[in-house]
Amino acid sequence: MHTGDAAPRRRRKPSYRRIAQATGAVGPLGIGIAALWLSVIVLLPLAALTVASLDNGISGFIDAVTAPNALASLRITVAVSAVVALINVVMGTLIAWTLVRDDFPGKRIVNALIDLPFALPTIVASIVLLSLYGPQSPINIHLNATKAGLIVALAFVTLPFVVRSVQPVLIELDRDVEEAAASLGASNMTIFRRIVLPTLTPAIISGAGLAFARAIGEYGSIILIGGNIPRDTQVTSQYIQQQIEID
């Protein structure tokens, strides 16, 4: 009779299906569907755009993107978008802080209005801004065909990106840490700078990046109030539209 220890059983290598079930992975079918959808929605249009931009060869592409008006529109677009992103970093963070930390009448209405630029057609926003800040402004503020008008229009459509990026982080922020710091004698500014701001920084950067990217490609909200003046208020999206109409 064999009295020794039984030989250890050889462990089976876990199958991909078991790993997927344990980790929540979608598996090969899900990956294939995601890759197909990404290709149809993103990669194919980008590939078609690349091919179309090289119809006249690389030299023709370089001449098109280095034309004086093209470079001027690009400089205006980047500069205005950067200013808008910085403004919304400050104001968007302040609004998110107010919505999370303060209680006031109409708070739910204000919170819902933050998403209005997402739902409102951008051309409607341009009409509203033109009627408010155009030549017949009821408040006697004329921003039509100025860079200030571009900034106001782009700030309107990009504000929700910063607010909605910062707001959830503020909601989840542990208030006990702030209260402990205050009990130890830390000032409000010190608490914000040493505790709150480091936690909010990734969300602020994310919101600013989204706002900047949206402002770079925005067209509808600035089509009327911007004026489309070459080398003054013409942004890249308007310049591209102008070139399409010429061709």
Side-chain angles (χ1 to χ4, degrees):
M1 181 176 179
H2 180 67
T3 58
D5 295 337
R9 292 184 179 181
R10 188 176 182 181
R11 292 184 178 180
R12 292 183 178 180
K13 187 176 181 180
S15 64
Y16 181 85
R17 176 177 293 182
R18 290 185 177 182
I19 295 175
Q21 291 175 348
T23 60
V26 295
L29 179 60
I31 294 174
I33 294 174
L36 177 62
W37 184 253
L38 180 64
S39 299
V40 172
I41 298 299
V42 179
L43 299 182
L44 285 180
L46 288 178
L49 178 63
T50 302
V51 172
S53 65
L54 297 176
D55 282 344
N56 297 324
I58 296 179
S59 60
F61 172 78
I62 294 175
D63 291 340
V65 298
T66 57
N69 284 352
L71 293 176
S73 68
L74 183 60
R75 284 193 295 267
I76 294 170
T77 302
V78 173
V80 171
S81 299
V83 171
V84 167
L86 290 175
I87 292 174
N88 278 338
V89 161
V90 177
M91 300 309 300
T93 303
L94 177 60
I95 292 172
W97 183 280
T98 303
L99 290 174
V100 173
R101 296 296 179 93
D102 295 323
D103 289 320
F104 53 89
K107 178 178 177 178
R108 291 186 178 181
I109 297 176
V110 174
N111 189 49
L113 288 176
I114 295 297
D115 295 325
L116 182 62
F118 287 152
L120 192 68
T122 53
I123 185 62
V124 175
S126 186
I127 294 173
V128 172
L129 292 172
L130 182 64
S131 63
L132 187 61
Y133 301 116
Q136 299 179 354
S137 172
I139 57 177
N140 200 30
I141 297 178
H142 306 287
L143 301 179
N144 186 38
T146 64
K147 290 185 176 66
L150 292 177
I151 291 173
V152 170
L154 294 177
F156 172 77
V157 298
T158 60
L159 176 64
F161 289 103
V162 179
V163 176
R164 295 311 187 204
S165 295
V166 175
Q167 193 174 12
V169 180
L170 274 173
I171 293 174
E172 297 297 329
L173 193 63
D174 189 0
R175 299 287 296 273
D176 292 338
V177 179
E178 299 176 50
E179 294 173 358
S183 66
L184 294 174
S187 64
N188 290 336
M189 182 57 66
T190 300
I191 293 173
F192 180 79
R193 181 171 54 87
R194 301 291 295 273
I195 298 175
V196 178
L197 186 58
T199 305
L200 294 182
T201 297
I204 292 174
I205 294 175
S206 176
L210 291 172
F212 180 79
R214 171 64 187 273
I216 285 287
E218 179 59 24
Y219 178 76
S221 64
I222 49 91
I223 188 173
L224 297 179
I225 196 171
N228 196 20
I229 303 174
R231 305 193 187 190
D232 186 13
T233 62
Q234 186 181 66
V235 297
T236 302
S237 58
Q238 291 177 310
Y239 175 78
I240 293 173
Q241 176 65 25
Q242 185 182 69
Q243 296 305 304
I244 292 174
E245 293 175 351
I246 292 175
D247 293 341

